[in-house]
Amino acid sequence: MDLGLTGKWALVCAASKGLGKGCASALVREGVNVVITARGAEALEATAAELRAFKGGEVRAVAGDITTAEGRTAALAACPQVDILVNNAGGPPPGDFRDWDREAWIKALDANMLTPIELIKATIDAMAERGFGRIVNITSAAVKAPIDVLGLSNGARSGLTGFVAGVARQRALASRNVTLNNLLPGPFDTDRVRGMAAGAALKSGQTVEAVLDARRQLNPTQRFGTTAEFGATCAFLCSVHAGYLTGQNILLDGGAYPGTF
Ligand code: NAP
């Protein structure tokens, strides 16, 4: 299927690794020009080189913290126009809510709620003027089925989800072919998941591989999702074919969520 995206410009945040990289890879292969960001310049440049080797769209790399005003300004300045915005940032740490002070909450809200809102605000009206816009927010399966130790994530991402639900239905945007959707990852094979498994292994005395295996067995598919699968779904949501698909929360979790709907 031709996704009809050749020559569009995308800003894909937090994309040197993991799910963001998966989205950027899929878009570049579709001929989309991308601006990718991450804090660590070395890994970001290595990813940019990998993506350029696809010989798809142009790839620009902007090192910076997307949760800061400076990071957002630099990322936006590198993108001639934002037709596609993929919002992403690192997830907050796990823990006990009794230990989280205001600063911990503000950090989580900044990364997983207010930064995407700022970027939506900076780009969406121009999308509507041009008659095409796709916004995909990477949130978490925890929005649908909260994970107790990830209270910062459950809270901040639910705030973003509520905001997006309202904006997506604004007639001035929806009637101008601008869609907003959230992608909710369950367990995917990324550095973050491996890092969290390493923490759990330390606590329990198991090996990291044993912790990862136990997690795989919990999922109906008996495996983690791949970043390529995640990226392909993101690219479809951004495609010209998905103009009637807006305001949705799309769970990519291998069937882990146990509900019928
Ligand atoms: P990952 O493999 O650790 O990759 C995170 C990427 O984001 C890296 O490129 C990282 O680069 C970049 N990044 C982090 N903070 C940033 C910031 N402030 N500014 C710019 N770039 C930043 O993580 P992931 O597994 O892909 O997760 C992506 C998001 O999905 C996270 O919010 C995570 O909580 C959520 N999620 C993931 C899963 C999963 O199974 N993987 C499940 C549910 C939710 P630098 O560190 O160099 O900045």
Side-chain angles (χ1 to χ4, degrees), residues 23-178:
C23 295
S25 303
L27 291 170
V28 169
R29 285 182 196 278
E30 290 300 323
V32 177
N33 305 313
V34 299
V35 173
I36 55 171
T37 84
R39 292 163 303 180
E42 205 176 316
L44 183 67
E45 286 304 335
T47 293
E50 257 182 68
L51 300 194
R52 284 180 193 123
F54 299 158
K55 307 229 179 290
E58 182 179 336
V59 179
R60 297 183 184 176
V62 179
D65 185 338
I66 201 68
T67 69
T68 65
E70 306 79 65
R72 289 189 290 275
T73 303
L76 289 167
C79 203
Q81 69 184 47
V82 182
D83 303 305
I84 295 168
L85 169 65
V86 180
N87 276 315
N88 185 31
D96 185 323
F97 74 90
R98 294 168 189 82
D99 300 328
W100 296 328
D101 55 14
R102 182 176 167 75
E103 203 186 319
W105 274 107
I106 296 296
K107 217 171 157 196
L109 290 169
D110 261 342
N112 301 115
M113 179 181 172
L114 301 176
T115 290
I117 291 173
E118 286 291 340
L119 288 171
I120 291 168
K121 188 169 120 187
T123 56
I124 202 163
D125 288 334
M127 289 177 180
E129 270 166 38
R130 291 191 296 268
F132 180 91
R134 298 286 185 263
I135 298 176
V136 176
N137 305 298
I138 300 179
T139 64
S140 172
V143 172
K144 209 165 153 71
I147 300 168
D148 61 353
V149 294
L150 291 180
L152 290 168
S153 171
N154 300 338
R157 295 186 201 277
S158 294
L160 175 65
T161 303
F163 170 79
V164 167
V167 176
R169 288 159 176 90
Q170 287 188 6
R171 281 171 172 70
L173 298 169
S175 71
R176 294 291 301 154
N177 194 18
V178 175

Side-chain angles (χ1 to χ4, degrees), residues 14 16-17 19 39-40 65-66 88-90 157 186 188 190 192-193:
S16 67
K17 297 179 187 169
L19 303 178
R39 292 163 303 180
D65 185 338
I66 201 68
N88 185 31
R157 295 186 201 277
F188 276 79
T190 66
R192 173 171 167 90
V193 164

Side-chain angles (χ1 to χ4, degrees), residues 176-225:
R176 294 291 301 154
N177 194 18
V178 175
T179 69
L180 296 96
N181 292 290
N182 305 314
L183 268 182
L184 283 55
F188 276 79
D189 190 3
T190 66
D191 282 7
R192 173 171 167 90
V193 164
R194 287 179 182 275
M196 286 174 73
L202 257 184
K203 269 194 197 153
S204 65
Q206 291 172 285
T207 64
V208 178
E209 216 23 67
V211 173
L212 287 170
D213 240 4
R215 274 205 83 183
R216 285 187 193 99
Q217 297 316 313
L218 281 177
N219 192 278
T221 61
Q222 308 278 283
R223 67 175 178 90
F224 291 122

